[in-house]
Amino acid sequence: VFSTSRQLAPALGYLGSRQKHSLPDLPYDYGALEPHINAQIMQLHHSKHHAAYVNNLNVTEEKYQEALAKGDVTAQIALQPALKFNGGGHINHSIFWTNLSPNGGGEPKGELLEAIKRDFGSFDKFKEKLTAASVGVQGSGWGWLGFNKERGHLQIAACPNQDPLQGTTGLIPLLGIDVWEHAYYLQYKNVRPDYLKAIWNVINWENVTERYMACKK
């Protein structure tokens, strides 16, 4: 596929050697987050759902490169929803797995806790706001704690479907809560608030803090 496109557009030659996206390993076992999120959910969520986003993203990017090489802008535009959906699914889940930990829960410490108190009044108020934003997502989507770099403060946002936070709002993602039904249905059925109550027990505040410190630099 790529040899002809290289002849047509030498500047696009690098596209032929693109690294394919791959499914990241979980930093813990599928059952490590029990009883809060059971092993069956984690296994399906990671090995089936996230894997599908990765595979579909690779397929979409290949088609997109072909369209670029041909200068077919119509095809590029037609592929953008698939790029956003599958690319977002891969980005979001890659953050989500690291945001969770069997040793998680409790409250953050240090600068992140101070920033939460400054921007939301207290940790409990922050927790209420992010929970409410996540419960309130209609259909499928995500609740996020993000960092607004321009204003230098923390912000809560909700995104529909797999829309990635930074690519659609400009906020840098620190903590994402997946409220697609596949993230909780096998255990919590249709009671999303119960899942949201439980997930606070496995939030990896060390990871969230690392993300916060990195984007403050």
Side-chain angles (χ1 to χ4, degrees), residues 53 56-57 60-61 77-89:
Y53 295 124
N56 291 329
L57 175 59
T60 304
E61 282 194 347
I77 292 166
L79 286 162
Q80 280 169 9
L83 200 58
K84 184 180 181 184
F85 183 73
N86 294 296

Side-chain angles (χ1 to χ4, degrees), residues 76-129:
Q76 289 168 48
I77 292 166
L79 286 162
Q80 280 169 9
L83 200 58
K84 184 180 181 184
F85 183 73
N86 294 296
H90 178 40
I91 290 167
N92 293 341
H93 286 89
S94 297
I95 295 166
F96 184 59
W97 307 132
T98 65
N99 278 170
L100 305 176
S101 166
N103 309 312
E107 291 189 7
K109 299 182 183 77
E111 283 193 48
L112 178 61
L113 183 59
E114 292 312 307
I116 285 172
K117 286 177 179 171
R118 180 196 68 206
D119 295 332
F120 302 105
S122 71
F123 178 73
D124 286 337
K125 280 182 186 164
F126 152 71
K127 207 168 146 179
E128 276 171 31
K129 282 185 174 176

Side-chain angles (χ1 to χ4, degrees), residues 79-210:
L79 286 162
Q80 280 169 9
L83 200 58
K84 184 180 181 184
F85 183 73
N86 294 296
H90 178 40
I91 290 167
N92 293 341
H93 286 89
S94 297
I95 295 166
F96 184 59
W97 307 132
T98 65
N99 278 170
L100 305 176
S101 166
N103 309 312
E107 291 189 7
K109 299 182 183 77
E111 283 193 48
L112 178 61
L113 183 59
E114 292 312 307
I116 285 172
K117 286 177 179 171
R118 180 196 68 206
D119 295 332
F120 302 105
S122 71
F123 178 73
D124 286 337
K125 280 182 186 164
F126 152 71
K127 207 168 146 179
E128 276 171 31
K129 282 185 174 176
L130 182 52
T131 299
S134 305
V135 168
V137 171
Q138 294 185 342
S140 301
W142 292 72
W144 289 98
L145 171 67
F147 183 66
N148 185 323
K149 202 150 188 170
E150 277 177 31
R151 296 167 75 179
H153 72 173
L154 301 169
Q155 209 171 311
I156 282 168
C159 294
N161 305 311
Q162 292 296 355
D163 287 12
L165 184 72
Q166 194 166 358
T168 56
T169 69
L171 298 174
I172 299 167
L174 305 179
L175 169 63
I177 299 180
D178 188 346
V179 290
W180 278 64
E181 282 191 342
H182 65 232
Y184 62 86
Y185 200 87
L186 286 171
Q187 185 171 359
Y188 295 98
K189 303 299 184 276
N190 61 329
V191 191
R192 188 187 284 178
D194 284 358
Y195 157 70
L196 286 161
K197 203 169 156 187
I199 205 168
W200 290 103
N201 295 303
V202 289
I203 298 297
N204 183 354
W205 288 114
E206 280 182 22
N207 179 263
V208 182
T209 301
E210 277 170 25

Side-chain angles (χ1 to χ4, degrees), residues 37-55:
I37 305 175
N38 71 31
Q40 191 186 11
I41 285 176
M42 292 301 292
Q43 186 169 5
L44 284 168
H45 199 170
H46 177 259
S47 71
K48 296 286 188 271
H49 290 281
H50 189 174
Y53 295 124
V54 171
N55 294 336

